[in-house]
Amino acid sequence: MSIILAIESSCDETSASIIANGKVLNNVIATQSIHEIYGGVVPELASRAHLKKIGPVVRHCLETAGVSASDLNAVAFTKGPGLLGSLLVGATFAKAYAYTLGIPLIGVNHMRAHILAHFIEDPKPKFPFLCLTVSGGHTQLVIVHSALKMEVIGETRDDAVGEAFDKCAKMMGLPYPGGPLIDKNAKTGDPLKFTFGKTDMPGLEFSFSGIKTGFLYFLQDRIKENPQFITENLSDLSASLQFQLIEMLMVKLERAVKETKINQIAIAGGVSANSGLRSRLQDWSIKTGNEVFIPEFQYCTDNAGMVAMAAEFMYKEGIFEDIESVPEARMPF
Ligand code: KG4
Ligand code: ZN
């Protein structure tokens, strides 16, 4: 029997969740819209917004779960990777809470939490499975041997795929985060209309800086001929870019399946909310017979529900932080 409060504050979402006896009861998320106009997350503004929102978010989380602080058995927080200032807010809050209540503190790795979000709802993958983790900061292929044993077998050498979505969106004048807007505009566009040049990396490594630069030069050339080029072609540009980014992910995923012979495939992280990627994976699953697991939308982008799920596995094993623990912006996997 355990009731855990989990806090996520690694980037620009302030989130809290309660997990009781292995079941995630709620997932309160406060998004910081302040970054939209800057074309990316401004770290200091993010820390300040977390500081302002964390109290009300946690209070609302406890109230909606019908749980009081004295019922809690542990407090979990995202220890890293992420923006250091943002992480410090969540860590300090969680520490103070756990310290005051005299209960254990659990420090969760953000990327592992994205993967373990698959254990919140059915159907759940069986170990070992392969996970393509695609977010604003990471692009990784991971063999998930168990909830606590994971192995990165491929990752990006430069930009993450979410970053490529967001930076290209910014080039088209779209606000941050541009990924969901590209997804929306792509729905009415032609995915084969334009190509932007991509880099092929060896083995299971990814690279997205080439396509990002290719996209920039492509836009600059076309705008010289027609200053209205972007507004007149927004759907086709979005659809073509999204299509090529998804193909770059699929090539590596197919290679990883071939090499590992693992046929249960999961996706995780913010970009797994992309409708093009979700349907491409579903079609691929039907064609190849590989079983594909796609998280519910609320558990794709940053959320405390996934931190709560990861904390549950750690609580069972008694993996706790000591009171002197500090967050790590570049926490290793
Ligand atoms: O996992 P996440 O919320 O935060 C990080 O840990 O980075 O991922 C955020 C990333 C952003 O780059 C955002 O643009 C992207 O996920 N994203 C999407 C979509 N929804 C979120 N990218 C493409 N299509 C979407 N529908
Ligand atoms: Zn994330």
Side-chain angles (χ1 to χ4, degrees):
M1 293 282 277
S2 61
I3 303 181
I4 304 169
L5 164 68
I7 292 167
E8 155 65 31
S9 72
S10 65
C11 191
D12 60 340
E13 321 277 3
T14 316
S15 181
S17 169
I18 296 287
I19 186 164
N21 303 322
K23 193 164 173 29
V24 172
L25 300 186
N26 60 6
N27 188 29
V28 179
I29 305 175
T31 302
Q32 305 177 357
S33 53
I34 183 136
H35 309 288
E36 279 170 21
I37 50 166
Y38 294 101
V41 177
V42 183
E44 186 178 330
L45 295 180
S47 315
R48 286 169 185 268
H50 281 304
L51 207 48
K52 200 168 161 189
K53 291 182 182 193
I54 195 157
V57 163
V58 169
R59 188 185 303 136
H60 184 66
C61 173
L62 289 165
E63 276 169 14
T64 53
V67 165
S68 59
S70 57
D71 298 329
L72 297 174
N73 299 101
V75 181
F77 69 102
T78 300
K79 192 176 172 190
L83 299 172
L84 191 59
S86 294
L87 291 166
L88 282 167
V89 176
T92 309
F93 193 96
K95 265 193 188 191
Y97 224 87
Y99 185 72
T100 311
L101 295 168
I103 54 177
L105 182 68
I106 303 175
V108 173
N109 180 298
H110 182 79
M111 299 315 293
R112 288 176 177 246
H114 268 303
I115 294 172
L116 295 171
H118 281 281
F119 294 87
I120 298 174
E121 305 273 354
D122 286 327
K124 301 178 175 79
K126 286 184 196 69
F127 300 115
F129 63 92
L130 195 62
C131 189
L132 174 67
T133 312
V134 278
S135 72
H138 292 78
T139 306
Q140 294 177 324
L141 278 161
V142 181
I143 300 179
V144 187
H145 296 285
S146 72
L148 299 173
K149 189 170 173 239
M150 303 185 190
E151 181 190 351
V152 178
I153 55 166
E155 58 190 327
T156 182
R157 275 208 189 165
D158 40 56
D159 296 339
V161 64
E163 209 177 334
F165 267 106
D166 295 338
K167 298 246 171 83
C168 292
K170 190 178 176 188
M171 292 173 206
M172 293 193 286
L174 299 174
Y176 178 85
L181 299 169
I182 290 187
D183 188 357
K184 193 168 160 233
N185 291 319
K187 288 188 172 41
T188 49
D190 175 0
L192 302 178
K193 181 88 178 269
F194 307 118
T195 51
F196 312 111
K198 51 187 184 212
T199 328
D200 195 18
M201 301 300 285
L204 298 176
E205 291 191 335
F206 299 87
S207 167
F208 295 99
S209 63
I211 187 165
K212 198 182 68 183
T213 315
F215 191 72
L216 176 67
Y217 291 156
F218 178 87
L219 289 183
Q220 284 173 346
D221 283 352
R222 297 299 175 103
I223 289 167
K224 264 187 226 149
E225 293 158 19
N226 171 14
Q228 301 307 315
F229 179 76
I230 294 178
T231 38
E232 285 171 10
N233 292 278
L234 194 57
S235 300
D236 291 340
L237 281 167
S238 300
S240 300
L241 177 71
Q242 179 170 299
F243 175 78
Q244 281 160 57
L245 290 172
I246 293 171
E247 284 313 298
M248 290 165 81
L249 294 173
M250 291 305 296
V251 167
K252 302 293 174 170
L253 181 62
E254 283 177 346
R255 195 173 289 170
V257 169
K258 217 168 160 186
E259 282 181 16
T260 61
K261 300 190 174 48
I262 296 175
N263 300 108
Q264 292 209 61
I265 319 299
I267 50 164
V271 180
S272 61
N274 183 269
S275 60
L277 178 60
R278 293 165 88 95
S279 60
R280 177 78 172 80
L281 278 165
Q282 266 148 358
D283 293 347
W284 178 75
S285 166
I286 294 165
K287 213 173 99 195
T288 60
N290 292 304
E291 207 177 341
V292 167
F293 297 84
I294 300 176
E296 225 187 79
F297 276 108
Q298 64 165 321
Y299 300 123
C300 288
T301 45
D302 291 347
N303 68 90
M306 68 185 195
V307 180
M309 195 68 242
E312 169 78 11
F313 287 110
M314 294 171 79
Y315 183 82
K316 281 193 199 140
E317 297 297 321
I319 305 172
F320 302 137
E321 292 292 314
D322 69 44
I323 201 70
E324 289 186 9
S325 116
V326 283
E328 294 171 47
R330 300 191 179 279
M331 188 175 179
F333 193 82

